[in-house]
């Protein structure tokens, strides 16, 4: 039987599709102007651009999948590209995109927390398949502009608690901090210091919490004099270790928030006339390739950086193909790698 307009069992009418022309009419501009905004092209006044973007968000306009004209690029924005840590992530991401005939486009924010104001227009002009933000904060407006072009975003090792609408990939940093500190406790150390990275980084806060949990479970009060913060570089570890070793009651072991800081601890110990591990045990975090070539080879917490890069790239490719990821938050396991920089307390 044919349903009539008054038939209570008739299927609801589908919501009319929001078209580019409809957005143009609401904004009081031409369709080519809306097209410029959507595609990130210049030549549109700032006020007009904001108005069009607001209408796009309000009415839920999305580029049709068959109309997407993406370039063969996956955009990756790094807070900083000046370490081997970033290189390991890139290797993992590159493995995925190369297999799909794509390339990585890299943005180095040179230590800034968020991309500069012109970054979003440059990215939209490149029309990437997706964006991976590595320890980088994208603003709500930047994410909205990417979403309006159907460009997915994935956070890799996010600085803070990731927004629920942004899928993310990280590692079990709390477990890593716990394992590193328990290892030193099992060796008989009780004066265990930690050199942490900036507390604005979620991974560093988690590693510190793991350190404190291990001490607490062993019945050892955390000594605030033994916890310090420094940049996640060699000089950060060296400066903080020098201060720790100058204490009236210095630590017998130091857990550093990453391998570069741990190398700085090595240097400070050497300059203080101390031997690693005979006089000072040292644990790092990351297990960068340099850790096994350090003298002595470094005990560290292995963070599966390449696998994290691979997971983030696979997630963004799934989203770009309109497939829903298995989980919005992926945490890969860390593992203690014992080498020669730790020894029993004598």
């Amino acid at each position: 039987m044919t349903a009539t307009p008054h038939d209570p069992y008739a299927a609801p009418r589908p919501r009319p599709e929001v078209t580019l022309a409809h957005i143009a009419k609401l904004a009081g501009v031409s369709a080519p102007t809306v097209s410029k905004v959507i595609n990130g092209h210049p030549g549109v006044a700032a006020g007009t651009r904001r108005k069009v973007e607001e209408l796009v968000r309000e009415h839920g306009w999305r580029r049709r999948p068959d109309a997407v004209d993406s370039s063969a690029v996956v955009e990756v924005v790094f807070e900083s590209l000046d370490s081997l840590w970033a290189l390991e992530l890139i290797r993992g991401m590159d493995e995925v995109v190369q297999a799909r005939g794509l390339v990585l486009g890299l943005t180095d924010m040179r230590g800034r927390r968020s991309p500069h104001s012109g970054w979003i227009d440059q990215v939209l002009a490149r029309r990437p398949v997706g964006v991976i933000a590595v320890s980088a904060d994208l603003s709500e407006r930047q994410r909205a502009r990417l979403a309006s072009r159907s460009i997915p975003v994935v956070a890799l090792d996010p600085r803070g608690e990731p927004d629920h609408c942004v899928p993310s990939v990280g590692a079990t940093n709390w477990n890593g901090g716990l394992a590193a500190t328990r290892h030193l406790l099992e060796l008989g150390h009780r004066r265990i210091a930690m050199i942490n990275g900036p507390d604005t980084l979620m991974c560093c806060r988690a590693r510190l919490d793991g350190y404190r949990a291990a001490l607490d479970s062993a019945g050892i009060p955390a000594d605030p004099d033994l916890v310090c913060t420094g940049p996640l570089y060699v000089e950060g570890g060296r400066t903080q270790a020098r201060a720790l070793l100058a204490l009236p009651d210095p630590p017998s072991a130091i857990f550093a928030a990453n391998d570069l800081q741990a190398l700085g601890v090595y240097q400070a110990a050497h300059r203080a006339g101390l031997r690693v591990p005979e006089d000072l045990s040292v644990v790092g975090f990351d297990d960068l390739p340099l850790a096994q070539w350090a003298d002595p080879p470094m005990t560290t917490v292995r963070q599966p950086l390449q696998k994290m890069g691979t997971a983030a790239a696979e997630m963004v490719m799934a989203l770009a193909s309109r497939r829903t990821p298995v989980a919005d938050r992926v945490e890969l396991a860390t593992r203690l790698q014992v080498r020669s920089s730790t020894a029993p307390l004598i």
Side-chain angles (χ1 to χ4, degrees):
M1 182 176 72
T2 303
T4 67
H6 302 290
D7 187 344
Y9 299 103
R13 293 181 179 179
R15 183 178 177 181
E17 181 182 357
V18 178
T19 65
L20 184 146
H22 182 61
I23 296 294
K25 183 177 180 180
L26 292 173
V29 298
S30 67
T33 297
V34 175
S35 180
K36 283 184 179 181
V37 174
I38 289 170
N39 290 293
H41 295 161
V44 180
T48 301
R49 184 180 296 277
R50 282 195 297 271
K51 185 175 183 181
V52 170
E53 289 173 348
E54 288 170 2
L55 286 167
V56 165
R57 289 196 296 272
E58 178 183 344
H59 291 271
W61 183 89
R62 291 289 187 274
R63 192 191 302 270
R64 296 192 315 275
D66 60 354
V68 175
D69 182 25
S70 300
S71 62
V73 175
V74 172
E75 190 78 23
V76 185
V77 54
F78 278 89
E79 179 194 20
S80 182
L81 261 174
D82 60 352
S83 74
L84 293 173
W85 175 87
L87 180 59
E88 292 299 299
L89 293 173
I90 290 171
R91 284 175 174 160
M93 290 184 278
D94 193 51
E95 180 180 326
V96 174
V97 301
Q98 272 201 29
R100 290 165 171 79
L102 307 176
V103 297
L104 295 176
L106 304 179
T107 297
D108 182 2
M109 298 193 304
R110 303 182 188 279
R112 292 189 299 269
R113 292 187 59 171
S114 301
H116 60 80
S117 57
W119 173 82
I120 187 66
D121 291 321
Q122 296 168 4
V123 169
L124 293 177
R126 291 195 285 270
R127 305 187 313 280
V129 172
V131 173
I132 300 174
V134 184
S135 299
D137 291 335
L138 301 187
S139 69
E140 184 178 347
R141 184 165 181 263
Q142 287 171 334
R143 296 199 307 269
R145 291 186 66 184
L146 291 167
S148 71
R149 276 69 163 185
S150 298
I151 299 173
V153 177
V154 169
L156 176 51
D157 202 20
R159 293 185 64 96
E161 190 66 33
D163 193 291
H164 71 279
C165 64
V166 180
S168 62
V169 176
T172 55
N173 291 289
W174 185 89
N175 286 343
L178 182 79
T181 311
R182 278 184 173 171
H183 169 65
L184 294 169
L185 289 165
E186 289 166 358
L187 292 173
H189 296 278
R190 293 299 178 264
R191 294 283 291 171
I192 302 171
M194 180 177 181
I195 302 176
N196 201 16
D199 60 10
T200 54
L201 294 176
M202 183 171 66
C203 62
C204 290
R205 296 198 301 271
R207 291 170 197 177
L208 177 60
D209 287 345
Y211 158 85
R212 287 172 170 161
L215 292 178
D216 183 64
S217 66
I220 299 174
D223 185 344
D225 291 338
L226 295 182
V227 178
C228 52
T229 301
L232 292 166
Y233 296 97
V234 173
E235 60 269 24
R238 183 174 58 239
T239 298
Q240 297 303 324
R242 186 183 302 125
L244 288 168
L245 296 175
L247 290 172
D249 187 9
S252 62
I254 297 178
F255 166 42
N258 74 353
D259 291 345
L260 295 179
Q261 283 187 338
L263 283 179
V265 176
Y266 275 37
Q267 294 179 2
H270 177 72
R271 294 178 185 180
L274 300 176
R275 299 165 300 165
V276 175
E278 291 85 354
D279 304 312
L280 179 71
S281 285
V282 180
V283 179
F285 203 109
D286 285 339
D287 197 20
L288 297 175
L290 59 83
Q292 61 184 312
W293 304 117
D295 185 19
M298 186 186 297
T299 294
T300 184
V301 176
R302 177 167 179 74
Q303 186 174 202
L305 296 172
Q306 288 193 31
K307 289 182 179 179
M308 289 165 62
T310 296
E314 288 177 341
M315 186 179 285
V316 84
M317 294 304 301
L319 291 167
S321 301
R322 309 303 192 274
R323 290 184 284 117
T324 303
V326 176
D328 288 338
R329 170 70 177 170
V330 174
E331 281 198 343
L332 301 182
T334 53
R335 175 172 55 85
L336 182 68
Q337 179 66 54
V338 179
R339 296 196 179 98
S340 305
S341 65
T342 52
L345 180 66
I346 299 175

